[in-house]
Amino acid sequence: MVSVRMQPCVLTVLLLTVCSTFVSSLYFHIGETEKKCFIEEIPDETMIIGNYRTQLYDKQREEYLPATQGLGMFVEVKDPDDKVILSRQYGSEGRFTFTSHTPGEHQICLHSNSSKFALFAGGMLRVHLDIQVGEHANNYAEIAAKDKLTELQLRVRQLVEQVDQIQKEQNYQRYREERFRQTSESTNQRVLWWSIVQTLILVAIGIWQMRHLKSFFEAKKLV
C-alpha cells in the first residue's frame, strides 16, 4: 500500500523537475561586436524553441526601448560534436527552432548585425531570451484546435508527452553516467600505469646508483 501511494508523488516530483529544468527565461546585454553563448544540456531527439526580443538603449531617455526592424540577431547553434545545426539571421524580434540529434551540451550563440546598423554603433542592446525544451515547446492550444481535442484528451496528451520527456531525460542521465564511468576508468588506468612507470624508473635509478657507488668504491680500493 505504501508503494502504491508513493507512485503519484514520485511522478509529481519528476514532472515538477522536468517543468523547472526545461524552461529558462532571462535577459542579457551585449555590445556592438559582442557575442553571447549559452550551454543547454539536451537529450537526443528533443525539440527546442527559442523566443527573443531586443531593446536598444536610448541615451536621451536613459532607458531601453524596442529596437527597430533594421536591427537583427544572428543565431548559431552547435551540438556536442561542435557541428553547426542552426546558423541563421533573424530580425529584432523572432523565434528559432531546432531538434537535437545527439545528447549532451548544445551551444547557443547570439550576436547582433551591428555592422549593418549604424544607429547601434557604440550602443548597448538588451536581449530577452526564452528557451523552451521538449514538450514545453508545444503550443497545446493550437494542437487542441487542430486535432479537435477535448480538455481531458488534451490533458492526457500533455501527461503522455511529459512522461516521454522524463524518459528522455532519464536516458540522457544514464548516458552521462556511462560517459563519466568510462572517463573515471580511463583516468584510473592512466594513473595506475603512471605509478608503475614511476616505480620502474625509481628502481632503475636505485640500481644504477648502487652500481655507480660500487664501481666508485672499487676504484678507490675501499672495497
Side-chain angles (χ1 to χ4, degrees):
M1 293 296 292
V2 176
S3 60
V4 174
R5 292 179 181 177
M6 286 179 64
Q7 287 179 357
C9 297
V10 173
L11 180 59
T12 302
V13 171
L14 288 173
L15 291 176
L16 290 175
T17 303
V18 170
C19 290
S20 61
T21 303
F22 291 95
V23 178
S24 58
S25 181
L26 54 91
Y27 76 85
F28 56 92
H29 299 91
I30 57 175
E32 180 180 359
T33 59
E34 192 175 358
K35 184 178 182 180
K36 288 284 187 179
C37 293
F38 303 90
I39 301 296
E40 282 285 338
E41 291 190 345
I42 306 171
D44 60 341
E45 302 303 326
T46 302
M47 184 175 67
I48 297 88
I49 293 180
N51 296 284
Y52 73 90
R53 60 185 177 89
T54 58
Q55 293 178 307
L56 187 63
Y57 185 72
D58 191 322
K59 295 182 180 180
Q60 295 181 349
R61 297 186 180 182
E62 295 184 347
E63 61 178 347
Y64 286 92
L65 301 176
T68 61
Q69 294 297 325
L71 181 61
M73 294 295 296
F74 185 82
V75 181
E76 183 180 72
V77 180
K78 294 183 179 180
D79 67 5
D81 298 325
D82 208 31
K83 179 182 177 182
V84 177
I85 58 178
L86 176 65
S87 180
R88 185 177 173 184
Q89 180 79 36
Y90 294 88
S92 59
E93 182 175 351
R95 172 178 177 174
F96 59 90
T97 306
F98 67 93
T99 301
S100 63
H101 300 291
T102 304
E105 295 182 345
H106 288 67
Q107 187 180 66
I108 304 174
C109 297
L110 299 94
H111 64 88
S112 68
N113 61 341
S114 57
S115 60
K116 300 179 181 179
F117 193 63
L119 295 178
F120 180 43
M124 288 295 296
L125 189 69
R126 174 180 288 177
V127 182
H128 297 262
L129 179 63
D130 178 28
I131 298 177
Q132 299 175 335
V133 182
E135 58 92 19
H136 298 284
N138 296 329
N139 190 330
Y140 287 104
E142 293 182 0
I143 293 175
K146 181 179 179 181
D147 297 341
K148 297 180 180 179
L149 301 176
T150 64
E151 184 177 354
L152 179 59
Q153 290 173 329
L154 181 62
R155 184 56 182 164
V156 170
R157 181 165 180 171
Q158 286 179 305
L159 289 174
V160 169
E161 292 184 354
Q162 286 177 351
V163 171
D164 182 61
Q165 188 63 47
I166 290 174
Q167 186 176 8
K168 290 181 180 179
E169 176 64 17
Q170 288 177 336
N171 292 335
Y172 174 59
Q173 295 300 330
R174 293 191 190 99
Y175 168 77
R176 290 185 59 189
E177 183 180 355
E178 178 66 19
R179 289 192 61 184
F180 179 75
R181 184 181 64 82
Q182 292 176 354
T183 303
S184 299
E185 290 179 353
S186 176
T187 302
N188 291 335
Q189 189 175 15
R190 292 179 181 180
V191 170
L192 175 62
W193 281 110
W194 176 242
S195 301
I196 293 173
V197 171
Q198 282 184 319
T199 303
L200 293 175
I201 292 174
L202 291 175
V203 171
I205 292 175
I207 294 173
W208 177 82
Q209 286 180 336
M210 290 177 63
R211 295 185 64 181
H212 178 73
L213 288 173
K214 183 179 179 180
S215 61
F216 174 77
F217 289 140
E218 287 177 349
K220 296 294 184 180
K221 297 180 180 181
L222 298 176
V223 178

